[in-house]
Structures are given as C-alpha cells and as structure tokens.
Amino acid sequence: MPALLFLTYPNKCRIPVGAGRGLGDGCDGVLAGRTGRRSETDVSEPLPQPLPPLVQERLDALRERPIEPAEKGFGSLRGRVSAASMAAARPPLTEAGLVFPLLTLRESALAGNLAAMAGYCARAGVALAPHGKTAMSPELAARQLAHGAWGITVASIGQLQMYRAFGFPRLLLANELTDTAGIAWLTGELAADPGFEAYCYVDSLDGVAILDRVLRRHPAGRPLPVLVEIGHAGGRTGCRTDEQALEVARAAQASGTLTVAGVAGYEGTISGAAEGQVPAAGSGLREVPGEVAAFCRRLRGLADVLGEGPALPIVTAGGSAYFDVVTRELTAGGAVPVQVIVRSGAYLTYDHGFYGTVSPAGRGAAGAPALRPALELWAQVLSRPEPGLALLGAGRRDAGFDMGLPVPLRVLGRDTSTDGWSITGLNDQHAFLRLDAGAELRPGEVVGLGISHPCTTLDKWRVLVVLNDDDLVIDIVHAFF
C-alpha cells in the first residue's frame, strides 16, 4: 500500500491526504442571495471524504511511478524512487540523495492554507473552483477537492486534458475555446462519460459559431454549458458592454448545442494591479478594490438580467488578490438566486512577495483567511568572491522573477539570521546574495529562499518535494507543465 500523508483536525481523527471529497459536498450548492452569509461560529472547514474513484485510482498509479533521473534534483537517484517509496523512507532533505537547487513545499503551510480557504468559502456561502494552472498538479488539486472544492479551473484546453487524464469529473475552462481539435476531443469526453461536467467561456458571436459548428459535427449528446464572459476596457477577453454580452447569450442559447450556465469575469487586470504586474508605489493600488467592486456589481447585475434557467445561474470571478471583494459583492443579493464560484489558485502555496502584499490578509481585510507561504527554493552557496557577496546555485531557470526577486529565509541546518540579506539579481543559474561582509556563510551550505508569484516558479519544475517542519522529505508531488 502506498504511504499516505495525514492531516490532523482539532477534535477529529487523522485524515489521509489521499482521501477526498465528493463533488456536491462542502461549499457546493450554497445559494448566494438566498441563504446569505454564515458566522464563523456556524461553519468550520469541510471535512474530507473519499475522492472520486477514478481520480483515486490514477493518483495511486502516479504515486508508484518511478521518478525519472531527468527530473531536476533527482538525477543521482537513477529512477529508483517514487513518491510512495520516498514518503515511506522519510529521509532528511540533506540525506535524500537529491541535488540542488530544489523546489519544496512545506506540508504544514499547505494543510493550513487548504483548511483556511475551505473555511472561508463555507462561511461566505460561496463555492471554490481553485485555478489548476498555478501548480498543474493532480495531487494538489485532489487535496483541494478533498476540502470541498466545487471543481478545478483551468486556462486552456491542454490543461483541461491533463486534469481529465487523471479523472477529474468537473472542470471549468476559464477562457474562450476556439480550438476545433480541442472542441472535438471535449465532445468525445462528454459523450463517453455522462458524469463528466465541463464549462467554457464565450464572449463573441464568432466564438459561439465555432463551438456550434464543431458540436454539430461531433455531437456530445447534451448541450455544452457556457458562461458569458464580461471584460473591461484595457483588460483581457470578455464582452466590453452588457449589450454585447446579452447578444452573445441569446446566440448561445438559440444554438441548441450550447446552454448558458451563467456569467464570468476576471478582476485581476483592473488598473494594472494584476497577476503579471507589480504594483508600484503610488500606482493607484488603493483604488483598485473599489474598481473591482464596481466590476463585480456589473457582473452580478448581468446575471439578474439573464434570469433563472433550469439550473441556478453561475456567477464566477476571483483571482488570488481580491477574492474578498469579489465574495462580498457577488453574495450581496440580487433579483435571482445564483451560485457564486471564486477561482483563486495561488492561495494554496501563497508566497513571500506579491500575494503576501495584495491578498486579503496582506491588505488586512477583516475575516481574511490566514495563509502561509509554502514554497521554498533551496540553493547551495557556490562562491564568496567578494566581501558582502555570495553566489547561489539557482537562477532564472529555477525561480520566477516577474513580480519580485526571491527572498533569503534561512540557512539549512543552523539557526542563522538572514536579516539584511537580499537577492539583488539573477542570471540563468546564479543568484546574487548580498549580505554583511562578516556574515558566516560558506560554499556548500544551503540557503532557503522564498519566492514571489508562485505561478512563474512552479512552471519551472515537474517534481516537487514535500517537507515537514523538521525538514524531512514526507512526500513528492508532480507538476505537469
């Protein structure tokens, strides 16, 4: 039997991480505007339950799969380890046979973030479809399902195919779908499995026509649910006017191959304070929550105009920076009851930079879930060529740098303050660490770095090591980039 991690809940039994939660439980089905909010004393995080059988079966197989020596950090092990064997052995990080640099996940932070966000959503009366593009990890997504996620969000048909390959039964493609081969594949999946649910966006008559044309050639046996996407000036995709959105909705519903399931939007690009941009001092960041609120009120109002259908209309938004504002505005009530779904993804790993500043907790928002950074990049000291300078063996090929440089956290194996230390630059395989000239740090020692913007660090790794708070390797997860 494969080794399992366990989460311990106060006054409850220990729950194996491999255990999941069926769709339809937890936050799923809570009606915003009908039930209203619940107090923190009424609702705790959802209790994990078994995963869908197909997901569990395929994750069990992945857990036993040998890790190829071509994976970063695993070359010395020559394919002799798997996630299951490494978890059973529980070696110290420095004795696991791994080579540096190495990206790790801190289990205590992961477990806390999962529980905190699940509890937040339950109290707020919203469903969570966490964005799977952040880590592209079926193991991590399965843990999110186990904590009550409504489904998993993806950004492309290729990402949807990856999660579907692991049996995930409900996937939200938070983007337009115009790839004819991808549409044909999706219709085949829908036709073959009546229990599989997939959603995508539409924002134009052309987009509706493409979907309709392929669906007529490759019948799915049922209409494909679509969400009409609302955008804003200077933003990404999405209808720029409500009139355009209504026209697209009417065309989709009239097609016969599509059904309008609700409305969607993305607030992260408002005022340039988006994932992908670093808000500078004086950039107007303080005004962004108000603009996000206005955008969400527009989104909620459009759901009222579309009216009720056979199922509750979905209203979805919410990146990882302003999901508190999204939750407040979309659950404020309206003419028709709706199912509010937030799509935050970076909450799971959080970070030591951008999200630590702009997230609800970083902004000091009342009731924000308490999140901790889980990602750490470990790099060896290669050289001390000058007083006050150390060169570490990690660089742009290992860590994101689009929203801030890595942050020195600690030296592995000893209690050394890193106050005043900073990474001032990255080359492809080198990090420039500035520190006091007399600071004790020798070649061969290993420095732990925090990162900013997890998306552009995770996509540089395909296998991640999970550590407990004693720096023992207790698990391995995969990232299918």
Side-chain angles (χ1 to χ4, degrees):
M1 291 292 291
L4 291 174
L5 300 182
F6 287 81
L7 307 182
T8 302
Y9 288 80
N11 304 317
K12 302 184 181 80
C13 61
R14 296 166 72 230
I15 304 295
V17 168
R21 185 173 186 80
L23 298 177
D25 297 317
C27 298
D28 187 14
V30 179
L31 314 185
R34 179 176 289 174
T35 59
R37 295 177 181 269
R38 292 171 285 179
S39 71
E40 292 195 22
T41 56
D42 294 332
V43 180
S44 62
E45 68 273 9
L47 186 64
Q49 294 179 5
L51 288 168
L54 185 58
V55 177
Q56 187 68 65
E57 174 189 325
R58 294 183 179 177
L59 289 181
D60 287 346
L62 178 63
R63 192 167 183 78
E64 299 290 345
R65 182 190 301 176
I67 297 172
E68 296 292 333
E71 299 297 351
K72 290 168 67 171
F74 286 81
S76 298
L77 298 173
R78 303 181 185 278
R80 295 190 299 261
V81 299
S82 64
S85 67
M86 189 69 86
R90 297 171 68 90
L93 178 60
T94 54
E95 300 175 18
L98 301 165
V99 301
F100 297 98
L102 200 66
L103 187 66
T104 66
L105 291 162
R106 186 68 58 178
E107 170 58 26
S108 58
L110 285 177
N113 294 348
L114 283 162
M117 193 65 172
Y120 174 85
C121 289
R123 291 189 297 274
V126 301
L128 175 64
H131 214 312
K133 73 176 176 65
T134 303
M136 288 296 290
S137 171
E139 296 104 325
L140 295 180
R143 294 184 68 171
Q144 291 170 313
L145 284 190
H147 281 75
W150 173 90
I152 301 298
T153 298
V154 295
S156 71
I157 189 64
Q159 293 176 5
L160 190 150
Q161 289 173 327
M162 188 284 286
Y163 282 104
R164 184 60 186 155
F166 284 91
F168 283 79
R170 184 187 278 160
L171 297 168
L172 168 59
L173 174 51
N175 213 341
E176 282 64 29
L177 178 55
T178 60
D179 185 311
T180 55
I183 299 167
W185 171 86
L186 182 58
T187 63
E189 287 292 302
L190 292 167
D193 183 357
F196 174 45
E197 296 180 42
Y199 301 76
C200 70
Y201 290 178
V202 288
D203 72 350
S204 69
L205 298 181
D206 286 341
V208 169
I210 292 170
L211 288 168
D212 181 52
R213 183 168 62 250
V214 180
L215 285 164
R216 289 186 184 279
R217 282 201 222 114
H218 304 275
R222 49 186 158 131
L224 173 66
V226 296
L227 302 173
V228 179
E229 187 185 11
I230 308 305
H232 63 87
R236 300 193 310 207
T237 50
C239 300
R240 294 308 196 249
T241 68
D242 292 352
E243 292 75 19
Q244 181 189 5
L246 292 172
E247 183 182 21
V248 169
R250 286 191 291 267
Q253 199 63 41
S255 69
T257 59
L258 306 174
T259 184
V260 176
V263 296
Y266 176 61
E267 77 290 345
T269 48
I270 291 175
S271 293
E275 283 91 340
Q277 297 187 39
V278 181
S283 64
L285 186 57
R286 292 181 179 178
E287 287 72 42
V288 172
E291 297 177 37
V292 169
F295 177 76
C296 291
R297 287 193 291 270
R298 178 187 165 208
L299 192 64
R300 185 63 176 84
L302 185 63
D304 290 340
V305 173
L306 291 177
E308 294 190 71
L312 278 175
I314 291 169
V315 182
T316 176
S320 297
Y322 297 102
F323 61 82
D324 58 323
V325 180
V326 169
T327 296
R328 182 189 70 224
E329 296 299 330
L330 295 187
T331 59
V336 299
V338 297
Q339 178 162 48
V340 175
I341 301 174
V342 295
R343 307 191 305 273
S344 308
Y347 80 89
L348 181 58
T349 62
Y350 208 49
D351 70 9
H352 287 88
F354 177 73
Y355 288 113
T357 301
V358 303
S359 70
R363 289 182 280 108
L371 304 175
R372 289 172 49 204
L375 278 174
E376 296 163 319
L377 178 65
W378 298 93
Q380 283 184 309
V381 180
L382 302 179
S383 176
R384 289 292 306 267
E386 303 170 10
L389 174 65
L391 272 297
L392 308 182
R396 296 184 179 191
R397 301 294 181 91
D398 308 302
F401 52 92
D402 58 323
M403 303 175 78
L405 294 173
V407 179
L409 301 176
R410 65 189 181 97
V411 178
L412 187 63
R414 61 184 176 90
D415 186 14
T416 298
S417 173
T418 59
D419 289 347
W421 296 17
S422 65
I423 300 295
T424 58
L426 297 176
N427 291 161
D428 281 356
Q429 309 294 168
H430 294 84
F432 292 77
L433 171 62
R434 295 290 176 179
L435 67 173
D436 293 338
E440 182 185 354
L441 187 66
R442 298 179 299 276
E445 291 194 284
V446 180
V447 178
L449 305 172
I451 58 93
S452 180
H453 195 199
C455 297
T456 54
T457 292
L458 286 162
D459 67 2
K460 295 170 174 58
W461 299 82
R462 296 189 300 186
V463 180
L464 293 86
V465 170
V466 183
L467 301 177
N468 69 7
D469 288 342
D470 294 321
D471 295 325
L472 299 181
V473 176
I474 59 171
D475 206 358
I476 290 170
V477 300
H478 298 77
F480 286 89
F481 286 102

